[in-house]
Amino acid sequence: MDAVTRESFGRVGIWTWALRSTTAGEARRAEIAEAVAELEELGYGTVWLGGSPSIADAAAVTRATERVTVATGILSIWDFTAQEAAEQVAALEEESPGRFVLGLGASHAIVTPKYAKPYSNMVRYLDELDAAPVPVGRERRLIAALGPKMLALAAERSLGAHPYLVTAEHTAYARSVMGPQALLAPEVKVVLDTDLERARARARAVIEPYLGLPNYTDNLLRHGFEESDLADGGSDRLVEALCSLGGAERAAARIEEHLKAGADHVTVQVVVDGGPQDSALPRAEWRELAAALSLS
């Protein structure tokens, strides 16, 4: 397999729920293909399929593009066996060598009845990927990690970590745990709206569901927030720490905060209004952000 390096991710990528096309109709698949081709031309280094995508969803993105890195953010270890994942990664590698990275996560107890012992089951899953007929080696995978044990595992057993719902302070902490060599690719939410009250409400609507998930709330409490910050959809302090509100220049500054704190790559989730996040393809906002970042 061709090696995937930190450089191949680029400094900035796009994270979105909306690229899961395997169950979509023909018109929607064409819309997704056109959108990801434009992301590549805009200069984003990596396209991240958010939520719980499949490897088949990722394959559709690689077919619609030529060079951009494609990653799952994340594939749940409960949705596919390691053997199934390894077979599908091998097939995708033959088709698009060196372009796919398997982002793995243990998900949440509220989401899957199979959930148990996330750390030990992640270790088992990695062992099984290593033992597959065509292994998915550490250079081809990364781990959704927040706490010290999972961050250390990500550094030891994979390309690196993909923390979600985190601040720049957490990025600095993750770098200190993982050391200098591992890839660190946090997700950052962005609302491109200069009406800050409206932007804050939009961000809160997206953040609120995560505040019922202990994996996230425990991490936030470890890193300077109080129980009161988690109530009623999140305090203003919490919302503004987790999400950039305002124009594209402010978003670029927030991305730079994470890069200075130790991130190699920041993947941006543009939060939009007027519909569910899992169907939105905010192409105008992606263009605006790319221009502010001088990507192309």
Side-chain angles (χ1 to χ4, degrees), residues 166-183:
V166 293
T167 63
E169 290 75 16
H170 181 274
T171 293
Y173 165 77
R175 176 55 70 200
S176 71
V177 171
M178 297 173 68
Q181 300 304 317
L183 175 81

Side-chain angles (χ1 to χ4, degrees), residues 222-240:
R222 283 195 301 265
H223 290 278
F225 295 99
E226 308 293 336
E227 291 285 355
S228 58
D229 288 307
L230 308 179
D232 302 319
S235 66
D236 287 353
R237 180 172 84 104
L238 178 70
V239 170
E240 291 169 18

Side-chain angles (χ1 to χ4, degrees), residues 38-69:
E38 183 180 16
L39 286 175
E40 180 173 71
E41 291 306 309
L42 288 170
Y44 291 105
T46 302
V47 174
W48 295 77
L49 287 83
S52 298
S54 68
I55 296 167
D57 291 321
V61 175
T62 65
R63 292 182 194 118
T65 53
E66 296 179 0
R67 59 189 178 277
V68 71
T69 299

Side-chain angles (χ1 to χ4, degrees), residues 133-155:
V134 180
V136 183
R138 60 173 298 176
E139 77 288 346
R140 184 62 68 217
R141 64 200 189 200
L142 53 81
I143 298 173
L146 294 172
K149 286 182 65 177
M150 201 68 86
L151 286 167
L153 181 68

Side-chain angles (χ1 to χ4, degrees), residues 72-147:
T72 50
I74 51 78
L75 181 138
S76 171
I77 63 173
W78 312 108
D79 289 348
F80 299 87
T81 68
Q83 292 80 6
E84 290 169 337
E87 289 174 3
Q88 293 177 43
V89 171
L92 181 50
E93 180 64 19
E94 285 190 13
E95 182 180 324
S96 301
R99 294 187 52 210
F100 175 68
V101 178
L102 179 64
L104 296 168
S107 191
H108 308 274
I110 197 171
V111 174
T112 175
K114 299 178 183 178
Y115 185 89
K117 299 181 178 178
Y119 180 84
S120 59
N121 275 299
M122 181 62 75
V123 171
R124 172 192 55 78
Y125 203 93
L126 297 175
D127 290 342
E128 292 175 359
L129 290 178
D130 287 338
V134 180
V136 183
R138 60 173 298 176
E139 77 288 346
R140 184 62 68 217
R141 64 200 189 200
L142 53 81
I143 298 173
L146 294 172

